[in-house]
Amino acid sequence: MPDEKPKTYKFKAEIQQLLNILVHSLYTDREIFLRELISNAVDALNKVQFQMLTQRQVFDSEAELAIRITVDEAARTITVSDSGIGMTRDEVIQNLGTIAQSGAAAFVKQLAEAEADGEKRPPLELIGQFGVGFYSVFMVADEVRVVSRSYVTDAEPVEWVSDGSERFRVGPADKETRGTDVVLKLKEDAAEFANAWRLEQIVKKHSDFVPFPIYVGDREQPVNQRKPLWRQSPRDVSADEYDEFYKQLTLDWDKPLLVSHLVSDVPVDIHSILFVPAHRERGPLNLRTDHGLALYARGVLIQEYNKDLLPNHWRFVEGVVESEDLPLNVSRETVQRDPATNRIRKGLVSRLIRELGTLAADRPDDYTRFWHEFGPFVKEGVATDLAGKDDLVPLLRFASSQGEGLVSLAEYVGRMAEDQPAIYYLLAENLESAAHSPHLDYFRATGYEVLYLVDP
C-alpha cells in the first residue's frame, strides 16, 4: 500500500559470515557482479515473455523487453534495469531474503568440515540451496537498492535495501514501469565500474549473446550482438565466419585445422562450435590463458575455461558450448556433474572423433598435420581413458618400416602377410634409430611390417 512504512528484517546471525564467504571464496573476479545481474534480468524477461504469450493481463505490456544500464560517475552509482516480470512485496522478501532462510548455519558448518578435509570450495549440493548470484553485488557495493514492480496489474511497487550486513529493509516505492531496477552504491575501491565504457567491455565479454538488447549509458543501440554463431544452423554459417570467430576467440591468426559445429536437442540440448588449432604452440598474442571451453547458458558466459565437458586429453580443443539442460550451481562458476553433463560430454566427444575420422579420409595431408601436432594427446587418451579408448584407436597413426608415411592400425592389419601371427612394433628414441635397428633384419627378410613407436 502507498502509505505503508518500510519494515526492517533481520538476517540470521550467520549471514555476515556467509556473505563474506560468497564474496571472497566463490567469486574470483569482481566484474562478474554485472554478469550475475544481467543473468537475473534475462530470467525475468524470459518469464514475462512467457506470461505475455499465455495470458492477456500483463502490466505495462507495451514496454520493450530489454536491459538498460546507467551510470552516475559523480555519485558512484550503477543502475541495472529490466522490463521483466518484476516482483511483488512477498516475492521480494522470498527471492531476496531466501539466503537468510536456506540453512545458513548448516552451510557454514559443512563448509568448515569441507575445509577441514582440505576442500577449498563449499560443497556444490549446499551452494545450490542459495540464491548467491545476486549477492555478488556486495563485492563492489556498499549499499544495494532494488525497486521492482510486478507484471500483476494491481501490484504495488516495492523497494528492498541492504548494505550486506545483518539487516535488510523492505518498503513501498515509486515506479511507473514494469520490471526491476537494481541500484548499486559502489565502494570507493570499485569506482572503476562507474564508467560506461568499462561496463560495455564487461557486457561484451560475459553477456554478448544474451537474447535481449542491452543498452549502456546514453547509447541508443544495443552493445550486445544477440546472434551467437553457435545458435545458427551450420548450413547458414560460412567458412569465413568460422575463421573470424576463431580469431576473435583466440587471437590465433592461423586458420583452424578443423571446425566442428554441433546443434542438437536430443537426447540433450547442445549448441557448440569446437576448433582444432593448426598448431600446438600458440603465438604470444593468444587470448586463451588456460585450456577449456567457453561455457554459455541462456546466452550468458558462465565459465571462460570449462574443463568438465571434454576429457583431459582433448585439452588442445578450443570452442564454445551452450546448453539449456546444463544445471549450474548458483555462483555460475562450476558445472555440477550429473547425467546431463555426461550426455553433453559424450555428444561432443563423439562428434569430434567422427569429424577427425572424416578429416583423415577426405584430407589426409591435413590429418597428418593434426597427428604431428596432437598425436601424443590421442595416445594419452588411449592410455588413460578406459571407457573411451576403443573409440580413439582408429585415430592412431604410426610410422612404419614400409615407408615414410603414417599408417593406421586398420591399414596395417589390412596388409599383413597371410602367415603373420601378430602386430609387430619397435621402441626407439627417434625414427632414424628405429629404421637402423638390427632387430629389423628378421622382419625385412620375412616381409613383416613393423611399427615405429618413438614418442616418450
Side-chain angles (χ1 to χ4, degrees), residues 81-110:
S81 303
D82 68 68
S83 54
I85 198 163
M87 293 178 283
T88 63
R89 177 188 176 89
D90 289 343
E91 289 170 339
V92 163
I93 296 173
Q94 175 66 28
N95 294 341
L96 302 184
T98 298
I99 195 167
Q101 294 122 21
S102 296
F107 180 95
V108 173
K109 178 181 178 181
Q110 293 203 28

Side-chain angles (χ1 to χ4, degrees), residues 259-277:
V259 180
S260 175
H261 188 169
L262 174 60
V263 175
S264 172
D265 55 10
V266 177
V268 63
D269 180 85
I270 306 174
H271 294 78
S272 69
I273 298 179
L274 305 183
F275 299 98
V276 174

Side-chain angles (χ1 to χ4, degrees), residues 411-424:
E411 290 170 332
Y412 179 99
V413 171
R415 61 195 191 200
M416 284 172 59
E418 290 185 6
D419 62 341
Q420 183 175 337
I423 293 175
Y424 296 103

Side-chain angles (χ1 to χ4, degrees), residues 154-211:
D154 59 352
E156 296 289 343
V158 61
E159 177 183 75
W160 179 96
V161 182
S162 174
D163 60 2
S165 63
E166 63 181 15
R167 299 179 186 275
F168 62 92
R169 186 176 73 250
V170 178
D174 293 322
K175 183 172 173 58
E176 297 181 356
T177 56
R178 185 194 67 237
T180 301
D181 305 329
V182 181
V183 185
L184 313 183
K185 175 63 177 177
L186 294 173
K187 302 174 185 285
E188 288 188 15
D189 65 357
E192 62 171 297
F193 296 110
N195 179 282
W197 182 87
R198 177 79 167 92
L199 297 179
E200 283 187 25
Q201 302 313 302
I202 298 174
V203 170
K204 288 181 177 298
K205 177 180 178 181
H206 291 291
S207 307
D208 205 22
F209 299 113
V210 301

Side-chain angles (χ1 to χ4, degrees), residues 76-288:
R76 219 165 60 235
T77 62
I78 299 173
T79 302
V80 179
S81 303
D82 68 68
S83 54
I85 198 163
M87 293 178 283
T88 63
R89 177 188 176 89
D90 289 343
E91 289 170 339
V92 163
I93 296 173
Q94 175 66 28
N95 294 341
L96 302 184
T98 298
I99 195 167
Q101 294 122 21
S102 296
F107 180 95
V108 173
K109 178 181 178 181
Q110 293 203 28
L111 173 62
E113 293 174 352
E115 289 178 339
D117 292 336
E119 299 178 16
K120 292 184 178 181
R121 287 185 177 272
L124 293 178
E125 67 275 10
L126 276 179
I127 298 174
Q129 297 176 13
F130 296 85
V132 193
F134 169 79
Y135 286 85
S136 63
V137 294
F138 289 106
M139 291 189 297
V140 297
D142 283 326
E143 182 182 86
V144 180
R145 187 166 65 94
V146 178
V147 180
S148 191
R149 184 160 185 170
S150 172
Y151 79 101
V152 179
T153 53
D154 59 352
E156 296 289 343
V158 61
E159 177 183 75
W160 179 96
V161 182
S162 174
D163 60 2
S165 63
E166 63 181 15
R167 299 179 186 275
F168 62 92
R169 186 176 73 250
V170 178
D174 293 322
K175 183 172 173 58
E176 297 181 356
T177 56
R178 185 194 67 237
T180 301
D181 305 329
V182 181
V183 185
L184 313 183
K185 175 63 177 177
L186 294 173
K187 302 174 185 285
E188 288 188 15
D189 65 357
E192 62 171 297
F193 296 110
N195 179 282
W197 182 87
R198 177 79 167 92
L199 297 179
E200 283 187 25
Q201 302 313 302
I202 298 174
V203 170
K204 288 181 177 298
K205 177 180 178 181
H206 291 291
S207 307
D208 205 22
F209 299 113
V210 301
F212 301 99
I214 302 175
Y215 302 94
V216 177
D218 298 327
R219 289 184 58 137
E220 296 182 358
Q221 297 297 322
V223 301
N224 58 318
Q225 294 189 44
R226 290 189 295 153
K227 294 181 179 179
L229 211 62
W230 57 89
R231 278 282 181 183
Q232 301 179 33
S233 170
R235 70 173 69 93
D236 297 329
V237 183
S238 68
D240 288 342
E241 287 178 307
Y242 285 128
D243 292 343
E244 184 59 33
F245 178 63
Y246 176 72
K247 290 177 184 177
Q248 293 178 9
L249 182 70
T250 65
L251 274 189
D252 181 357
W253 296 99
D254 289 329
K255 293 182 179 180
L257 271 180
L258 181 69
V259 180
S260 175
H261 188 169
L262 174 60
V263 175
S264 172
D265 55 10
V266 177
V268 63
D269 180 85
I270 306 174
H271 294 78
S272 69
I273 298 179
L274 305 183
F275 299 98
V276 174
H279 307 287
R280 187 193 321 192
E281 300 297 330
R282 313 296 167 73
L285 296 180
N286 191 278
L287 285 176
R288 310 289 287 168

Side-chain angles (χ1 to χ4, degrees), residues 312-315 375-385 392 396:
N312 191 54
H313 52 272
W314 292 110
R315 58 189 177 274
F377 293 91
V378 178
K379 290 185 177 182
E380 175 188 328
V382 173
T384 61
D385 186 358
L392 292 171
L396 294 173

